[in-house]
Amino acid sequence: MKLTSLAAALILSGSAQLAAAANPLSVHVLNLQDGLPSAQVDVTLERQAGKQWVALASGTTNADGRIPALFPEGERFDKGIYRVTFKTGAWFAARKTDSFFPEVPVVFVVDGKLAHYHIPLLISPFGFSTYRGN
């Protein structure tokens, strides 16, 4: 690869990362059973409005088990209570693996103190763990 091509690739790669970083919400799913990223997990995002949940976005994890930009482009990420739901049961079923949790809802508070929220999910057929990432 020529030096100019390599430089262009690095610039484009950095631009893509900056664009993803500009989105205020990302998720990541890792399978503890095999230690690999969980590609093709369906994920939904909702915001609490009173006693109801309002759908905002959905996506599917990429080959790295990530959705780098889950929040809808052009919308304001206002303070409030949000829910990200990982469709883990369907993901395990597609791999012919029994599992206990059909989905993993993660309810979290956006308080406006952070510009970006990252929600990692560690899954196995019979358990899960999550935390506020960065």
Side-chain angles (χ1 to χ4, degrees), residues 18 23 34-35 38 42 44 72 98-99 133-134:
L18 285 175
N23 190 284
D34 59 16
S38 301
D42 292 327
T44 60
D98 291 337
S99 66
N134 58 18

Side-chain angles (χ1 to χ4, degrees), residues 34-52:
D34 59 16
L36 297 174
S38 301
Q40 301 177 334
V41 175
D42 292 327
V43 181
T44 60
L45 171 65
E46 300 163 292
R47 184 169 196 267
Q48 191 175 48
K51 295 184 179 187
Q52 298 184 1

Side-chain angles (χ1 to χ4, degrees), residues 41-108:
V41 175
D42 292 327
V43 181
T44 60
L45 171 65
E46 300 163 292
R47 184 169 196 267
Q48 191 175 48
K51 295 184 179 187
Q52 298 184 1
W53 291 98
V54 177
L56 297 177
S58 63
T60 303
T61 57
N62 63 20
D64 292 328
R66 298 177 183 272
I67 301 176
L70 183 57
F71 197 77
E73 191 173 326
E75 297 289 324
R76 288 176 37 106
F77 197 41
D78 292 327
K79 293 179 183 180
I81 299 175
Y82 292 80
R83 177 171 64 190
V84 172
T85 303
F86 299 88
K87 309 298 184 176
T88 53
W91 186 83
F92 278 114
R95 283 146 188 80
K96 299 183 182 358
T97 301
D98 291 337
S99 66
F100 186 68
F101 299 100
E103 58 186 27
V104 176
V106 179
V107 178
F108 62 101

